[in-house]
Amino acid sequence: MRNITKTFGSDVIANDNVDLDIYRGEILSLLGENGSGKTTLMNMLSGIYFPDHGQIFIDGKEVTIASPKEAFEHGIGMIHQHFKLVDVFTAAENVVLGLEEKGKLDLEAASKRIREICDTYGFDVDPKQKIYDMSVSQKQTVEIVKVLYRGADILILDEPTAVLTPQETDKLFRVLRNMKEDGKAIVIITHKLHEVKEISDRVAVLRKGKFIGDLITSETDAQEMTNMMIGHAVELNINRPEPVNPRPRIRVDGLTVRTQDGVLKLDDVSFTACSGEILGIAGISGCGQKELLEAIAGLQPIEKGSISYVQDDGSSESLIGKDPLEIAAMGVSLSFVPEDRLGMGLVANMDLTDNMMLRSFRKGKSVFTDRKTPKNLAEKVVDELDVITPGVSTPVRKLSGGNVQKVLVGREIASSPTVLLSAYVVRGLDINSSYTIYDLINQQKENGVAVVYAGEDLDVLLELCDRILVLCDGKISGIVDGRLAEKHQIGRMMTSLGGEEVG
């Protein structure tokens, strides 16, 4: 890629004359802060966007890529963070969906070809299995097989390990190494530096839309990579202060939750979250973490069980039957970063100030809405979390995903809760932004807030949390001490493969 430039509107330069080389038989990690242009650059290589100017050469020959179909014709396939699969179809049906085949579709022949691809690289996929019966890692495998089936030998993976267990990540990495040995070119967009060190041969760094440089992975370390991404030295240690006088704050007993269509999400869950500590929630994606936090916040109907808020004097009050506004008035704040950040957390067409006001407008004592306080809060969040925006009057839909997330998390933490329920607050955030959020969460802990932190990165859970509650299929498989537990032990507990309680 040579001199690749892409702008959105008149004021957002996503990529600024970027040069990037990708080699066969190599795994390249693409690093950069949120809004640095990583995904935009790869979207141009895979035909989703078209560059304003610049050239793309494949095997020395200049090519034009104006659609994903043209990208496939040049052997380029991208596996996106959010899968593009039809749940009611089988793996084989999803793989061949959209292909122009001559004559009648032969699913048996397609299944045979899928099995050959799986045997070649070490995949574990049943072509006849329905997508809705698959785990997250199996769905991801189908996405990879889908692009290989179309002849891709340049593969781009966007945050491929975001929702995988350590065991599933190890399995994926074995497959990627097999593909590299077969001469494939692989690009991984990720924020997890320990995985960059483990899997990649070379690292390319973008900063604010510009290409900063590349490094041989074996000749660098996490600190140097971070400094290149940020532009200055960054401290890479998560502080974990000891809990000060922890006391029960939220008590959950025998909690059972079902979805509207009768699927059991939480089964007889009991635990206590204490003030002045961080309780981590670990589990495979979709095993009840989201429903647990939503139940405490009053957003999820409960089949049976109790949830109590414990006052400083030891008296308790039930949260069941109260609406989210009543629960929030007691000091329980849900900072939930869903996959659809704009759909659930913020209003896309409103600016930063108005989105801050969504949290505070009911506190007004007159018929006129107070705009000064939310504006000050918006400016504070932009400043402290380094939100990249032209100003607080910018609609949030114009911000990158990571910057939208900072606005949402900053607003919830600023509401000064006594209980902070945080779900996936650093999902998709770059390392500098993530460490800023960890510091904010630790400040809440030191202020005596009971923090419940559901996260996907086990390394972070082990560094940040005092205790970790592990969920498996809606049940608690153990509560472990964050200072004593080990990553693969928690991975086993997440998948019902055993694991002892520690601490």
Side-chain angles (χ1 to χ4, degrees):
M1 305 180 84
R2 289 291 176 268
N3 300 313
I4 299 291
T5 296
K6 181 68 180 174
T7 58
F8 295 99
S10 59
D11 52 359
V12 179
I13 303 172
N15 293 123
D16 187 358
N17 287 303
V18 173
D19 291 347
L20 183 69
D21 293 319
I22 299 168
Y23 300 109
R24 297 190 187 280
E26 174 192 72
I27 298 176
L28 172 71
S29 285
L30 193 56
L31 290 179
E33 290 190 275
N34 294 113
S36 63
K38 307 179 299 296
T39 302
T40 302
L41 187 67
M42 290 299 102
N43 279 340
M44 284 186 279
L45 192 56
S46 60
I48 293 170
Y49 295 151
F50 193 75
D52 297 344
H53 67 78
Q55 299 165 287
I56 297 174
F57 300 88
I58 297 177
D59 294 329
K61 181 184 172 187
E62 185 173 357
V63 298
T64 300
I65 302 173
S67 69
K69 184 171 181 286
E70 287 184 15
F72 276 123
E73 288 169 4
H74 294 295
I76 301 168
M78 186 165 177
I79 295 90
H80 297 271
Q81 193 174 346
H82 304 306
F83 308 139
K84 320 283 188 202
L85 298 170
V86 181
D87 266 10
V88 295
F89 284 6
T90 64
E93 287 166 342
N94 270 280
V95 167
V96 299
L97 189 64
L99 284 176
E100 295 175 7
E101 302 278 354
K102 288 179 182 175
K104 189 181 174 186
L105 173 64
D106 188 345
L107 268 180
E108 275 306 313
S111 296
K112 184 183 176 194
R113 173 80 184 111
I114 289 166
R115 288 192 183 94
E116 287 170 1
I117 291 170
C118 292
D119 291 344
T120 301
Y121 299 113
F123 289 116
D124 180 20
V125 170
D126 176 0
K128 294 182 179 176
Q129 188 177 357
K130 299 276 192 186
I131 299 299
Y132 60 69
D133 279 334
M134 292 185 177
S135 68
V136 175
S137 67
Q138 286 175 309
K139 290 176 185 177
Q140 184 182 64
T141 302
V142 173
E143 287 281 23
I144 297 173
V145 171
K146 195 162 78 173
V147 299
L148 291 172
Y149 189 93
R150 285 158 169 73
D153 54 13
I154 301 168
L155 286 91
I156 304 159
L157 294 92
D158 191 0
E159 299 283 349
T161 65
V163 290
L164 301 185
T165 66
Q167 287 82 357
E168 289 168 339
T169 298
D170 291 344
K171 200 181 203 177
L172 172 65
F173 285 179
R174 281 196 297 274
V175 168
L176 293 181
R177 290 187 187 102
N178 289 341
M179 289 162 64
K180 178 179 88 168
E181 293 299 316
D182 195 40
K184 304 286 185 194
I186 300 167
V187 182
I188 296 178
I189 303 171
T190 183
H191 293 299
K192 299 180 180 179
L193 296 185
H194 59 280
E195 292 180 357
V196 171
K197 285 289 290 178
E198 184 182 343
I199 188 65
S200 67
D201 302 296
R202 191 165 54 95
V203 178
V205 180
L206 296 181
R207 189 195 316 146
K208 295 180 180 173
K210 293 179 182 289
F211 176 74
I212 300 303
D214 58 355
L215 302 161
I216 304 299
T217 310
S218 59
E219 297 173 2
T220 188
D221 58 23
Q223 190 66 60
E224 184 180 12
M225 288 188 280
T226 304
N227 294 351
M228 278 184 75
M229 279 194 288
I230 313 301
H232 56 81
V234 177
E235 183 65 45
L236 284 182
N237 290 318
I238 299 177
N239 183 33
R240 177 164 46 192
E242 288 290 332
V244 179
N245 191 24
R247 288 179 294 184
R249 183 64 77 197
I250 293 287
R251 194 173 280 128
V252 176
D253 191 32
L255 184 66
T256 299
V257 169
R258 286 183 195 274
T259 61
Q260 287 182 334
D261 48 5
V263 178
L264 188 65
K265 279 295 185 179
L266 293 170
D267 185 5
D268 195 26
V269 168
S270 302
F271 67 92
T272 301
C274 296
S275 62
E277 77 158 11
I278 300 174
L279 174 68
I281 309 287
I284 295 169
S285 178
C287 72
Q289 309 95 304
K290 171 174 165 282
E291 287 76 13
L292 176 57
L293 298 193
E294 287 183 350
I296 297 171
L299 296 169
Q300 187 73 240
I302 291 158
E303 185 172 290
K304 63 178 180 179
S306 66
I307 304 172
S308 303
Y309 179 84
V310 184
Q311 305 282 0
D312 288 337
D313 61 7
S315 64
S316 61
E317 189 175 346
S318 175
L319 297 184
I320 294 175
K322 290 184 168 58
D323 66 32
L325 280 178
E326 293 170 320
I327 292 172
M330 295 170 67
V332 179
S333 172
L334 174 63
S335 175
F336 175 58
V337 180
E339 287 183 6
D340 183 9
R341 301 173 180 119
L342 292 177
M344 185 169 173
L346 300 167
V347 179
N349 286 325
M350 287 167 61
D351 65 21
L352 275 69
T353 297
D354 287 348
N355 270 288
M356 296 297 160
M357 200 161 59
L358 291 175
R359 167 62 81 177
S360 62
F361 74 94
R362 289 186 183 85
K363 295 177 183 173
K365 293 185 171 59
S366 77
V367 293
F368 298 105
T369 305
D370 171 23
R371 292 185 60 83
K372 186 178 178 184
T373 304
K375 184 171 186 283
N376 291 342
L377 175 56
E379 288 169 348
K380 184 181 177 194
V381 168
V382 166
D383 183 49
E384 290 188 1
L385 298 187
D386 196 23
V387 177
I388 298 170
T389 173
V392 295
S393 58
T394 303
V396 295
R397 63 181 162 77
K398 290 194 173 181
L399 306 185
S400 74
N403 286 302
V404 168
Q405 198 156 320
K406 292 181 197 175
V407 172
L408 178 55
V409 175
R411 184 189 71 188
E412 298 305 314
I413 289 177
S415 67
S416 302
T418 52
V419 179
L420 178 64
L421 308 170
S422 56
Y424 314 121
V425 288
V426 296
R427 177 184 274 168
L429 284 187
D430 59 73
I431 193 160
N432 193 38
S433 304
S434 298
Y435 277 75
T436 303
I437 300 287
Y438 303 147
D439 285 343
L440 285 171
I441 287 172
N442 267 320
Q443 286 171 27
Q444 297 297 304
K445 169 184 165 179
E446 290 180 307
N447 291 339
V449 175
V451 180
V452 183
Y453 177 91
E456 295 157 331
D457 191 330
L458 290 187
D459 293 282
V460 170
L461 282 165
L462 288 165
E463 277 190 73
L464 181 69
C465 302
D466 301 294
R467 292 182 298 140
I468 301 170
L469 182 156
V470 187
L471 285 172
C472 177
D473 291 332
K475 294 182 187 290
I476 293 181
S477 60
I479 299 178
V480 301
D481 187 320
R483 291 167 175 79
L484 302 176
E486 186 265 327
K487 185 163 88 168
H488 279 80
Q489 170 213 10
I490 293 177
R492 288 192 297 273
M493 293 170 74
M494 286 161 62
T495 51
S496 286
L497 298 176
E500 305 290 320
E501 287 206 17
V502 178

